Amino acid sequence: MKEDRSEMAAKDVELDPRSAAISEPLSSSSSSPAAFNAVVSAGNKSRSCKSSLPVTQPPCPGHVLENVLENVLQFLTCRRDRNAVSLVCRSWYRVEAQTRFEVFIGNCYSLSPSRLTRRFKGVRSLLLKGKPRFADFNLMPPDWGAQFAPWVAATAMAYPWLEKVNLKRMFVTDDDLALLAESFPGFKELILRCCEGFGTSGIALFANKCRQLKVLDLIESEVTDDEVDWISCFPEGETHLESLSFECVESPINFKALEGLVLRSPFLKKLRTSRFVSLEELHRLMVQASQLTSLGTGSFSPNDVPQGEQEPDYASAFRASKSIVCLSGFRELTPEYLPAISPVCANLTSLNLSYANISPDILKPIIRNCHNIRVFWALDSICDEGLQAVAATCKELRELRVFPSDPLEDSESPVSALGLQAISEGCRKLESILYFCQRMTNGAVIAMSENCPQLTVFRLCIMGRYRPDHVTGKPMDDGFGAIVKNCKKLTRLAVSGLLTDEAFSIIGEHGKLIRTLSVAFAGDSDMALRYILEGCPKLQKLEIRDCPFGDVGLRSGMHRYHNMRFVWMSYCRLTRGGCRDIAHALPSVVAEVFGSDVDDDDDNADYVETLYMYRSLDGARKDAPKFVTIL
Amino acid sequence: MRDRSELEVGKSNLPDESELELGLGLSLGGGAWRERGRILTAKDFPSVGSKRAADSSSRQGASPPRSSQVVGWPPIGSHRMNSLVNNQATKVAKADKEEEEEGEGKKKVDEAKDVSMKVNGKVQGLGFVKVNMDGVGIGRKVDMRAHSSYENLAQTLEEMFFGMTGTTSREKVKPLRLLDGSSEFVLTYEDKEGDWMLVGDVPWRMFITSVKRLRIMGTSEANGLAPRHQEQKEKQRNNPV
């Protein structure tokens, strides 16, 4: 811990913990609070909060001051502010550590659990992220790591009042869930996103033991079917449940038990069922729980062939659900039933149709009423025509995601530049877009950059690799260049299509706020990587695959790797020697090298298939599997 | 330049692999053989190959939904991919119920279920086999589940190893005819027992369950590679490993 108070206090009020980390040399025995702040707050989403606390040289810290500080600090929730506060002096550091209840860890390997528990004493809420995003695309071998076990063990001892755990891309076992449930009597919220390693038996145990549970959200996780009726395992009597989400659980559900659970959960606001809930069953649930605000509709397909008047009136169930603002599910949609949702369309702020193969004709009558939609996810089956309909009505749209219904390189994509152009003209408030298509034009991308200046997230995936502008034949440099030049708030960018080094020169120069950059099958040479690393001052997460970038390019970022959350490069031109040089030069950075072939033992010389590099306060991890080499 | 970047470097048990300098002078840009390059399969050796039941692929009905030919591309999360597969499987099953074709339908449903079971398990690397080509130090991977026939597979391989031009005004290289017989290259595979065989001998479905890895080798080397000679070749080939 820093002794020199005066040096700290003299620092700028708007203290950026990461820049502070540069100036302080790191050693493994004592890691500076600034460095700790950096790993614990990297990925801070609350960018816009301003520090309202005047930071001046405090007088001699006394008990009185600390008490006052404690009372003041409880109003300070923004991570960035808290980090700034903690760097003022020792006493402030101590008080801040005692009063921080919410901890965010963007990379579970950036520090050890014991370091967390040593500093913070009263954690109530923990958000932990494990594997990097490219693991979702089978680019990482299984059993790589990101186990939750050590964390639950450490926190079980240190934080008896832990209430919330939010995990993303972690490996969680049934035992972990059991320990979680047993260790924290007041546990309230469990959110597992893109996790794996557990099954329905773990969920059952957890549900049974946590009597105060408010939130159980299983999102896009892989849940083994242990053939346990977990829904029946919730305790008897009234529950505190406010949110129950199990859309990703691929096993049949005991509907009677689910219905019973919903009936005795008066506080339930969000219910997201899996595809094993039929339309008839959904109807019954809706009738019992008309207070829902967010509904995951399950399969949205009737079990049996309807028999005339015996068919439930689905529209009236929706009419009765006056509070619904968010709809998802539609996992096995029978399209003729979709109009049943019409009564809630005008109130909807979020609609996720991305698991339903919907044609423009089915979409149009629905979307026509969705004036208030802010978030819309769909499959490209809605075609450009569907997107035009969205553009015509959804003037409040902030986030759009268009997924491919046929995720192949050479398929006929029903969406194109036309759809993108239409959206840009109709939805001027757009902030975030993810768009899959087969080919694109610079014109449409430029149009979006000009029409939607509020964009913070622009992810365009031209599925055909190396595809140029299909009208002009030129690379997509101009399009992406316009995005970074015109969208001044851009923090996340994913590029695709044919791109030369020039594109990256523009990105490096103009992408001043970019924190996450994803690059695949692009660039001509190391220069492209250099442009990125020598530019983009706020870059935190860099994911690259299949680009002609080698050791020279990698070296050009030496000055900044300790200031980034991670760098991922797979199928590029790195050599072990090159990566090793970097690793040895930067002690605070861990460089992992691995390939996706578990059984391969012939040492294919120098070649590096995947490099995953991240900063860490506690050095190399001890749980690396044998196919991972830590340089 | 670009054709290099798209290649994934895999491990290779090629004997001369150590001589290759990765990333430098590694040129697939040799236009000559690119244009002429094609991959031969057992069909090109009429004396060896049995009448291919690759035509059985047409009787497979709804072929399994094809995933990407390059691992992890396009970048769709495995959860969503699985769901797309499930969707297709259910559609097939439903379509069959409607069609009421007992025999055909049952077969389709089984196959669809088969696919969804495969995909619902650990997706990682399940269908992917490595492909190495003689003279090329870096290998690729192909998803066997994504292909429905030998022709299909050969086309993918041709595109992977020959397909990319280096010019900026890109046109997709037209897929070359596979079975013309005058190619310099032959496609072979290593099966579950470790034997190296000529691709195309056995029915497609049997092939995809037994193939472990693929190798594109020069015709001269492959001369005489036939089921009856495969034990000899196997010894020669497996030695350097």
Side-chain angles (χ1 to χ4, degrees), chain A residues 181 202-211 213 230 232-236:
Chain A
I203 299 296
L205 203 71
F206 180 83
N208 185 254
K209 290 260 169 76
C210 288
R211 306 271 149 157
L213 196 64
W230 60 277
S232 302
C233 295
F234 279 89
E236 292 294 320

Side-chain angles (χ1 to χ4, degrees), chain A residues 426-495:
Chain A
C427 308
R428 298 300 177 106
K429 301 186 186 178
L430 199 64
E431 292 172 2
S432 169
I433 182 164
L434 170 61
Y435 198 88
F436 282 86
C437 55
Q438 282 295 336
R439 50 198 202 153
M440 184 48 62
T441 64
N442 281 309
V445 179
I446 294 171
M448 177 152 275
S449 77
E450 290 167 353
N451 293 333
C452 304
Q454 304 299 319
L455 277 177
T456 54
V457 174
F458 185 80
R459 299 159 68 190
L460 177 63
C461 181
I462 301 170
M463 290 190 281
R465 293 170 292 151
Y466 310 111
R467 293 255 168 94
D469 178 325
H470 68 90
V471 165
T472 65
K474 290 169 64 183
M476 293 300 298
D477 295 0
D478 289 341
F480 286 102
I483 289 285
V484 292
K485 284 181 193 164
N486 298 336
C487 302
K488 311 239 190 289
K489 302 186 181 180
L490 200 72
T491 55
R492 183 169 179 183
L493 179 66
V495 300

Side-chain angles (χ1 to χ4, degrees), chain A residues 171-178 190 192 195-207 216 218 221-230 249-251:
Chain A
F171 191 86
V172 182
T173 63
D174 290 338
D175 289 336
D176 297 336
L177 291 174
L190 179 65
L192 300 177
C195 294
E196 57 175 353
F198 61 100
T200 45
S201 48
I203 299 296
L205 203 71
F206 180 83
L216 177 59
L218 306 172
S221 295
E222 208 173 297
V223 184
T224 324
D225 183 4
D226 303 322
E227 288 169 21
V228 169
D229 180 6
W230 60 277
V249 179
E250 285 291 315
S251 52

Side-chain angles (χ1 to χ4, degrees), chain A residues 370-613:
Chain A
C370 299
H371 303 277
N372 289 313
I373 272 207
R374 294 186 155 221
V375 175
F376 183 58
W377 293 20
L379 280 183
D380 62 6
S381 57
I382 64 173
C383 303
D384 288 329
E385 199 185 328
L387 290 171
Q388 285 162 337
V390 171
T393 310
C394 308
K395 299 300 176 189
E396 297 299 319
L397 195 65
R398 302 294 196 272
E399 178 179 321
L400 174 69
R401 294 197 191 189
V402 179
F403 295 96
S405 47
D406 189 12
L408 266 183
E409 271 189 76
D410 301 312
S411 55
E412 283 302 307
S413 175
V415 298
S416 70
L418 208 64
L420 192 70
Q421 177 98 23
I423 291 288
S424 77
E425 288 166 3
C427 308
R428 298 300 177 106
K429 301 186 186 178
L430 199 64
E431 292 172 2
S432 169
I433 182 164
L434 170 61
Y435 198 88
F436 282 86
C437 55
Q438 282 295 336
R439 50 198 202 153
M440 184 48 62
T441 64
N442 281 309
V445 179
I446 294 171
M448 177 152 275
S449 77
E450 290 167 353
N451 293 333
C452 304
Q454 304 299 319
L455 277 177
T456 54
V457 174
F458 185 80
R459 299 159 68 190
L460 177 63
C461 181
I462 301 170
M463 290 190 281
R465 293 170 292 151
Y466 310 111
R467 293 255 168 94
D469 178 325
H470 68 90
V471 165
T472 65
K474 290 169 64 183
M476 293 300 298
D477 295 0
D478 289 341
F480 286 102
I483 289 285
V484 292
K485 284 181 193 164
N486 298 336
C487 302
K488 311 239 190 289
K489 302 186 181 180
L490 200 72
T491 55
R492 183 169 179 183
L493 179 66
V495 300
S496 58
L498 183 65
L499 291 167
T500 70
D501 288 345
E502 178 59 24
F504 295 97
S505 161
I506 305 173
I507 292 173
E509 187 186 333
H510 294 271
K512 302 232 183 346
L513 296 181
I514 292 180
R515 293 170 41 86
T516 307
L517 181 63
S518 309
V519 186
F521 304 101
D524 300 318
S525 72
D526 273 328
M527 280 313 295
L529 184 56
R530 277 187 62 180
Y531 288 137
I532 297 170
L533 292 170
E534 289 173 1
C536 295
K538 299 278 185 191
L539 193 62
Q540 285 292 300
K541 301 182 260 185
L542 182 58
E543 343 174 283
I544 298 175
R545 66 163 296 180
D546 287 277
C547 294
F549 304 154
D551 299 333
V552 172
L554 190 68
R555 209 181 302 274
S556 63
M558 290 254 290
H559 61 289
R560 67 183 307 181
Y561 291 133
H562 66 278
N563 237 6
M564 292 173 66
R565 193 185 298 178
F566 72 79
V567 172
W568 170 290
M569 287 179 69
S570 52
Y571 305 123
C572 296
R573 305 228 184 117
L574 302 172
T575 68
R576 270 186 191 238
C579 296
R580 196 174 286 121
D581 289 346
I582 307 267
H584 289 171
L586 301 173
S588 61
V589 165
V590 172
E592 292 191 14
V593 158
F594 52 85
S596 47
D597 300 303
V598 186
D599 55 358
D600 242 292
D601 25 50
D602 54 341
D603 222 334
N604 187 358
D606 226 9
Y607 186 78
V608 163
E609 191 177 294
T610 301
L611 167 72
Y612 178 49
M613 200 162 69

